[in-house]
């Protein structure tokens, strides 16, 4: 391994510094995965470190697989560390090993988002909490946030005594955790929380894994939450050989608990830490990179670095103003066709990024009209589709007979005459007798279930108990085949597909699930071992949208900006670049939130390798109506010499407003960008969105929203370090 010949000087430093903590600030496209893999290879090959003592943590299964593959090519399969994976997959693996020490069973189920929501709804119903007054999704979010902060139900209840909403969450949280334990199940957040708490409360367990993992590497450290932070730092406390790689400029997940302070304050946690900045970008053209640098330098909460590249200057950034969102989508589809025909580009070269999932609809419509095939990354995930979850519920209940969510899903699917009352009686019997749900089904008559329901319950229980007894002898795929044959589930779908094209899609999804089961449990890929049914179900529970994305398929890719992180594409369109949409409206009154939106913009810009287009519309259909828009402030942070401007037609932007004060109307009566006239103590003032103003206290600013009329005319103004709402008549604003 010739480090000097294969890496740049900063990368060499990051790879070869191994005596103590290391913070690698890796800018976009600077080769951080290369650094991580070379560092592992360096530890093993040059320093003779046993791979047994190396732990590498990533944020996606895709990144973990890529890292393993690269290390394998460098060292050979025998020297690849066995503990390379995501926080969740590594935690699940350790928890299954240490289940008895931590007080639960090894065969616990892992509940995904839908399972969590189903259980929370059940808890709310049992507690007589109205879903109309308290959103189950919001309750789930609060519970998840508590677990991210390592707050137990008892602690949450003690900390939140003031607000009724929080008291409701506390009641549900307590019941939810109790029921999870009864079901021998954990949700995603439990996987991290249980292990972090386990390390803190079981010194022998912690010491055992500290000795095991003497060299720790963590990717995307800026995205860690409090629980993940504790998980890592407890392990690293003994030997302090912790290498974290990340980019504070790409911290975009605060909304799901990520704490940027973890990377910004790393040197406070480890005063002896070495800091290496990777600033050479290997991905983007110089113009694209400069645009990203110019945008992100407006953030104050950052370590600071200046990316550079030896790549060509490249094409100017296309800045496209359109009349409305339909016009925007139409322009994009035409541009793709033009570039495809004129420069020989293939469809997989084009990626459309947007701030919110709702924006994809119009884009999809126009791509379909143009006959351009596309794939959405981040829509309904394959393993969250109803028919897939139905079949998986049977397999989950075989592995964990106490899984109430899976039991309720499969017990009358397809319909077999076991109604809600009968299901409730079976569940009560299971609770009283201390048996699992399959055993309770077999004894349904003792629960008071009679007639057709009793016969159906007995047959189902008998079949599943017999199948469960065979799991050690048959593959997971064979178990699924027997379920489909005995229950008639697939046969019903196939009959329905004769009349309903949607049912045909569901049939295809079940067949794809069977193919996945066969591949994993019967015919694994070369170099891999077959897994048991339990292992397959765990992999399924932890899979993400990006893990299933096949970038080799020749079609246009659509995804949110959040999903695009860590990826790169030849040609990128960032759509909907308008204040209120991107940055999102809720972030425009908080500088902290606004800086995260700017980081998201930086992430979007730096995904592009060859060409970048930024599009915005003067009108956009949102919330059931049409609203006028002002181009995103992030566009204004890109120097004019980096962009090439284009407009699709008649424009209603600020530059085209009539010069005469009397002409205050626009072709759209509800256009909130239209100028307003208000009488102030110093005379008449003409005011509008986008107007630059000066305030005697806050200084220069720009109006980002105007509402009301006459004496009640209000303006929201963005100043350099704050956002303020004022009544224009009394605000003493000076127009500039």
């Amino acid at each position: 391994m010739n480090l000097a010949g294969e890496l740049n000087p900063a990368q060499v430093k990051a790879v070869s510094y191994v005596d103590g903590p290391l913070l690698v600030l890796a800018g976009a496209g600077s080769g951080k995965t290369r650094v991580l893999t070379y560092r592992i290879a360096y530890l093993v090959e040059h320093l003779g470190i046993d791979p047994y003592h190396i732990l590498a943590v990533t944020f996606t299964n895709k990144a973990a697989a890529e890292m393993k593959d690269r290390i394998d090519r460098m060292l050979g399969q025998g020297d690849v560390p066995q503990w390379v994976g995501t926080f969740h997959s590594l935690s699940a693996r350790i928890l299954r090993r240490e289940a008895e020490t931590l007080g639960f069973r090894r065969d616990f189920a892992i509940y995904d988002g839908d399972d969590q929501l189903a259980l929370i709804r059940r808890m709310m119903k049992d507690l007589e909490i109205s879903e109309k007054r308290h959103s189950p999704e919001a309750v789930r979010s609060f519970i998840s946030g508590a677990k991210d902060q390592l707050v137990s139900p008892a602690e949450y209840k003690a900390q939140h005594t003031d607000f009724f909403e929080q008291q409701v969450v506390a009641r549900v949280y307590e019941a939810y955790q109790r029921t999870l334990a009864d079901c021998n199940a954990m949700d995603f957040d439990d996987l991290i929380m249980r292990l972090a708490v386990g390390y803190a409360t079981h010194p022998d367990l912690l010491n055992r894994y500290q000795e095991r993992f003497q060299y720790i590497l963590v990717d995307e450290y800026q995205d860690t939450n409090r629980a993940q932070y504790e998980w890592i730092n407890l392990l690293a406390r003994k030997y302090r050989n912790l290498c974290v790689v990340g980019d504070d400029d790409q911290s975009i997940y605060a909304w799901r608990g990520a704490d940027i302070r973890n990377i910004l304050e790393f040197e406070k946690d480890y005063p002896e830490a070495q800091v290496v900045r990777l600033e050479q970008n290997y991905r983007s053209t110089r113009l694209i990179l400069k645009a990203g640098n110019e945008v992100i330098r407006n953030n104050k909460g950052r370590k600071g670095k200046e990316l550079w590249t030896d790549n060509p200057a490249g094409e100017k950034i296309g800045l496209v103003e359109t009349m409305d969102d339909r016009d925007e989508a139409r322009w994009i589809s035409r541009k793709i066709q033009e570039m495809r025909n004129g420069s020989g580009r293939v469809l997989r070269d084009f990626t459309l990024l947007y701030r919110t999932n709702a924006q994809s609809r119009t884009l999809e419509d126009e791509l379909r009209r143009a006959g351009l095939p596309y794939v959405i990354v981040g829509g309904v995930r394959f393993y969250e589709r109803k028919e897939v979850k139905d079949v998986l519920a049977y397999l989950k209940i075989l592995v964990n007979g106490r899984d109430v969510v899976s039991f309720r899903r499969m017990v009358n699917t397809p319909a077999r005459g076991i109604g809600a009352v009968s299901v409730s009686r079976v569940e009560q019997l299971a609770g009283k007798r201390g048996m699992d749900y399959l055993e309770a089904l077999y004894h349904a008559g003792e629960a008071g279930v009679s007639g057709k329901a009793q016969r159906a319950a007995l047959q189902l229980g008998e079949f599943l108990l017999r199948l469960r007894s065979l799991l050690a002898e048959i593959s997971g795929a064979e178990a699924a085949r027997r379920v489909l044959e005995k229950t008639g589930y697939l046969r019903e779908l196939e009959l329905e597909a004769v009349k309903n094209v949607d049912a045909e899609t569901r049939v295809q999804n079940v067949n794809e699930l069977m193919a996945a089961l066969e591949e994993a449990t019967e015919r694994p890929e070369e170099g891999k071992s077959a897994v048991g049914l339990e292992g397959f179900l765990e992999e399924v529970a932890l899979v993400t949208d990006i893990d299933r994305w096949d970038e080799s398929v020749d079609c246009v890719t659509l995804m949110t900006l959040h999903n695009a992180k860590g990826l790169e594409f030849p040609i990128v369109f960032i759509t909907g670049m308008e204040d209120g949409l991107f940055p999102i409206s809720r972030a425009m009154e908080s500088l902290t939130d606004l800086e995260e939106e700017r980081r998201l913009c930086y992430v979007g810009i730096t995904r592009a390798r060859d060409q970048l287009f930024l599009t915005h519309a003067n009108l956009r259909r949102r919330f059931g109506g049409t609203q006028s828009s002002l181009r995103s402030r992030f566009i204004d942070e890109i120097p004019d010499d980096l962009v090439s401007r284009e407009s699709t037609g008649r424009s209603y932007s600020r530059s085209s407003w009539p010069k005469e004060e009397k002409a205050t109307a626009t072709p759209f009566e509800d256009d909130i960008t239209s100028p307003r006239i208000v009488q102030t103590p110093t005379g008449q003032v003409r005011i509008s969105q986008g107007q630059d103003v000066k305030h005697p206290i806050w200084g220069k600013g720009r109006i980002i929203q105007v509402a009301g009329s006459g004496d009640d005319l209000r303006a929201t103004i963005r100043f350099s370090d704050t956002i303020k709402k004022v009544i224009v008549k009394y605000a003493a604003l000076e127009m500039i």
Side-chain angles (χ1 to χ4, degrees):
M1 183 189 305
N2 178 14
L3 293 184
E6 299 171 16
L7 304 173
N8 67 40
Q11 290 174 332
V12 170
K13 189 174 182 180
V15 166
S16 58
Y17 180 85
V18 294
D19 298 321
L22 172 67
L23 169 61
V24 181
L25 294 171
S30 62
K32 67 179 178 64
T33 304
R34 186 176 179 83
V35 164
L36 285 167
T37 53
Y38 267 79
R39 183 178 173 85
I40 291 172
Y42 183 83
L43 287 170
V44 175
E45 189 173 277
H46 280 258
L47 300 185
I49 304 300
D50 190 333
Y52 175 90
H53 291 301
I54 298 173
L55 171 70
V57 187
T58 68
F59 264 78
T60 67
N61 295 310
K62 192 181 184 75
E66 180 182 355
M67 190 179 297
K68 288 178 183 177
D69 184 58
R70 290 193 187 189
I71 297 169
D72 182 29
R73 291 200 300 269
M74 295 174 72
L75 296 178
Q77 191 170 8
D79 288 328
V80 176
Q82 296 305 301
W83 291 83
V84 178
T86 66
F87 274 104
H88 293 95
S89 64
L90 294 170
S91 292
R93 188 174 168 187
I94 294 173
L95 288 171
R96 294 203 190 278
R97 290 186 171 203
E98 306 297 338
E100 292 182 4
T101 301
L102 297 175
F104 49 87
R105 289 168 44 184
R106 288 189 58 193
D107 60 349
F108 61 84
I110 300 175
Y111 280 4
D112 64 16
D114 284 349
D115 297 333
Q116 286 178 268
L117 204 55
L119 192 56
I120 285 172
R121 284 200 163 103
R122 178 186 171 190
M123 296 301 95
M124 292 176 66
K125 183 178 180 180
D126 291 348
L127 295 169
E128 298 182 343
I129 296 171
S130 169
E131 288 192 21
K132 292 182 179 179
R133 293 188 60 189
H134 306 282
S135 162
E137 289 83 357
V139 172
R140 179 179 62 177
S141 179
F142 279 116
I143 292 174
S144 179
K147 292 183 179 184
D148 286 346
Q149 296 298 315
L150 299 178
V151 176
S152 68
E155 290 168 330
Y156 191 91
K157 185 176 181 180
Q159 293 172 10
H160 298 90
T161 58
D162 296 334
F163 298 102
F164 181 67
E165 180 73 28
Q166 293 171 330
Q167 293 170 20
V168 168
V169 173
R171 293 172 61 204
V172 177
Y173 186 11
E174 184 177 39
Y176 173 71
Q177 285 303 107
R178 186 170 57 248
T179 306
L180 278 176
D182 291 342
C183 295
N184 189 33
M186 296 186 196
D187 62 26
F188 286 173
D189 301 309
D190 281 326
L191 295 176
I192 310 298
M193 182 179 182
R194 288 281 193 115
L195 195 52
V197 172
Y199 285 149
T201 55
H202 292 74
D204 291 344
L205 175 71
L206 175 61
N207 182 66
R208 189 158 71 252
Y209 281 94
Q210 285 176 332
E211 288 297 327
R212 174 74 186 260
F213 302 132
Q214 297 180 18
Y215 294 86
I216 302 173
L217 302 88
V218 185
D219 194 10
E220 305 287 8
Y221 192 65
Q222 78 281 349
D223 292 332
T224 52
N225 58 32
R226 165 74 189 285
Q228 292 163 338
Y229 169 87
E230 293 291 341
W231 192 104
I232 285 295
N233 284 277
L234 283 168
L235 281 179
R237 181 180 294 169
K238 187 170 186 176
Y239 288 100
R240 301 181 76 79
N241 292 319
L242 173 62
C243 169
V244 301
V245 180
D247 184 2
D248 50 307
D249 289 334
Q250 296 187 70
S251 179
I252 59 173
Y253 294 116
W255 53 276
R256 68 181 191 194
D259 191 342
I260 193 174
R261 292 175 299 178
N262 293 347
I263 193 168
L264 293 179
E265 298 177 5
F266 184 81
E267 294 154 278
K268 186 182 294 185
D269 294 331
Y270 299 91
E272 75 274 32
Q274 178 81 15
V275 180
V276 177
R277 284 174 167 80
L278 303 182
E279 297 178 302
Q280 182 175 1
N281 175 283
Y282 293 92
R283 174 188 301 157
S284 305
T285 65
R286 288 204 301 273
L287 288 180
I288 290 173
L289 199 60
K290 186 174 181 181
N293 284 336
E294 291 296 329
V295 169
I296 201 62
R297 76 170 71 254
N298 289 280
N299 273 6
K300 296 180 180 179
R302 60 191 296 255
K303 287 276 191 181
K305 58 185 171 301
E306 187 78 11
L307 296 191
W308 60 276
T309 184
D310 285 332
N311 291 340
E315 301 273 352
K316 284 191 173 185
I317 295 163
L319 176 56
V320 184
E321 178 184 23
T322 65
M323 288 182 60
D324 57 24
D325 49 339
R326 180 68 63 186
D327 190 29
E328 176 189 52
R330 194 174 297 122
W331 181 88
I332 290 171
S333 65
R334 285 200 303 264
K335 190 68 176 178
I336 291 172
Q337 289 175 307
E338 172 191 318
M339 296 180 72
R340 184 188 183 193
N341 296 331
S343 57
R345 288 285 189 178
V346 293
L347 290 178
R348 63 175 174 270
D349 288 342
F350 301 95
T351 300
L352 280 51
L353 304 180
Y354 36 80
R355 178 62 181 83
T356 65
N357 279 305
Q359 291 170 250
S360 74
R361 184 189 62 81
T362 309
L363 297 169
E364 290 182 71
D365 287 347
E366 291 302 324
L367 289 172
R368 281 196 299 268
R369 287 192 179 98
L372 298 173
Y374 62 89
V375 61
I376 297 181
V377 178
V380 179
R381 289 189 281 183
F382 176 77
Y383 289 109
E384 290 180 356
R385 298 181 188 276
K386 178 186 181 302
E387 57 278 6
V388 174
K389 288 184 73 70
D390 286 346
V391 178
L392 289 176
Y394 279 96
L395 304 181
K396 288 179 179 181
I397 201 71
L398 289 173
V399 171
N400 176 13
R402 296 167 62 189
D403 182 350
V404 69
V405 173
S406 295
F407 171 70
R408 288 190 166 195
R409 186 173 195 110
M410 53 69 64
V411 69
N412 202 42
T413 304
R416 51 176 60 94
I418 306 176
V421 173
S422 297
V423 169
S424 178
R425 289 176 176 172
V426 170
E427 291 178 356
Q428 290 171 14
L429 178 68
K432 288 178 183 177
R433 299 276 185 88
M435 58 177 63
D436 67 33
Y437 294 116
L438 300 189
E439 294 168 329
L441 270 176
Y442 187 73
H443 295 92
E446 299 172 35
V449 179
S450 60
K452 180 182 178 182
Q454 181 188 355
R455 290 192 297 275
L458 173 63
Q459 291 172 1
L460 180 62
E462 186 178 32
F463 163 66
L464 292 175
L465 284 170
R466 187 168 61 252
L467 185 56
R468 184 166 69 181
S469 70
L470 297 173
L471 288 183
E473 304 170 19
I474 64 175
S475 69
E478 177 59 25
R481 280 193 286 269
R482 296 191 185 192
V483 164
L484 292 176
E485 180 181 351
K486 180 68 175 180
T487 63
Y489 184 86
L490 183 59
R491 185 165 59 253
E492 283 200 9
L493 280 184
E494 289 170 340
L495 290 173
E496 188 181 347
V498 176
K499 300 176 289 185
N500 187 335
V501 68
D502 290 337
E504 175 60 32
T505 301
R506 293 196 288 274
V507 169
Q508 292 170 2
N509 288 337
V510 172
N511 287 331
E512 184 175 344
L513 173 63
M514 286 304 305
L517 272 160
E518 290 166 0
E519 180 181 302
T521 68
E522 292 180 343
R523 301 189 299 274
E525 295 177 8
E526 186 177 349
K528 294 184 179 181
S529 301
V531 300
L533 180 57
E534 185 176 318
F536 175 81
L537 293 175
E538 182 171 306
E539 290 178 5
V540 164
L542 299 175
V543 76
T544 67
D545 298 322
I546 296 300
D547 296 327
R548 287 189 54 79
W549 175 49
D550 183 356
E551 52 195 300
S552 66
V553 176
D554 191 29
C555 56
V556 180
T557 300
L558 282 70
M559 67 175 73
T560 66
L561 284 145
H562 283 99
N563 275 329
K565 186 171 176 295
L567 305 175
E568 60 181 69
F569 316 98
I571 302 168
V572 170
F573 297 80
I574 304 180
T575 68
M577 293 284 288
E578 298 132 33
D579 271 0
L581 183 57
F582 190 31
I584 204 80
S585 57
R586 61 177 176 270
M588 292 169 64
E589 295 187 23
S590 163
L591 285 176
T592 299
D593 294 343
L594 187 59
E595 290 207 345
E596 174 144 335
E597 290 288 295
R598 185 175 283 112
R599 291 193 293 269
L600 186 58
C601 181
Y602 173 76
V603 166
I605 290 171
T606 55
R607 297 312 91 195
R609 291 205 303 259
D610 304 328
Q611 284 185 265
L612 173 66
F613 296 92
L614 310 177
T615 65
H616 65 99
N618 291 315
L619 294 169
R620 186 169 295 275
R621 294 164 184 83
R622 298 182 69 199
F623 312 119
T626 300
Q627 298 181 0
S628 50
S629 307
L630 186 69
R631 73 172 179 239
S632 172
R633 67 197 61 199
F634 301 146
I635 288 176
D636 295 336
E637 293 170 355
I638 300 174
D640 285 342
D641 63 333
L642 302 181
V643 303
S644 173
R645 298 178 184 273
E646 181 177 342
S647 176
T648 62
R650 187 176 181 185
S651 169
Y652 300 108
S653 63
R654 187 172 72 239
S655 61
S656 67
W657 286 337
K659 301 301 181 184
E660 301 82 4
E661 284 191 4
K662 63 180 181 181
T664 59
T666 69
F668 302 92
E669 293 183 357
D670 64 342
D671 191 346
I672 59 173
T673 65
S674 60
R676 312 286 179 88
I677 304 297
V678 62
Q679 183 69 41
T680 72
T682 58
Q684 279 194 343
V685 173
R686 185 173 186 266
I687 194 167
S688 62
Q689 273 192 1
Q691 173 72 52
D692 293 324
V693 298
K694 186 175 181 181
H695 188 273
I697 297 176
W698 301 310
K700 293 182 179 179
R702 175 169 293 180
I703 296 173
I704 58 177
Q705 188 174 29
V706 178
S709 60
D711 290 349
D712 192 41
L713 186 66
R714 302 177 303 281
T716 303
I717 307 172
R718 170 168 53 89
F719 295 97
S720 60
D721 59 356
T722 188
I723 293 177
K724 295 290 183 181
K725 289 183 178 180
V726 301
I727 297 177
V728 176
K729 181 174 181 178
Y730 306 108
L733 296 175
E734 177 185 344
M735 305 297 121
I736 56 177

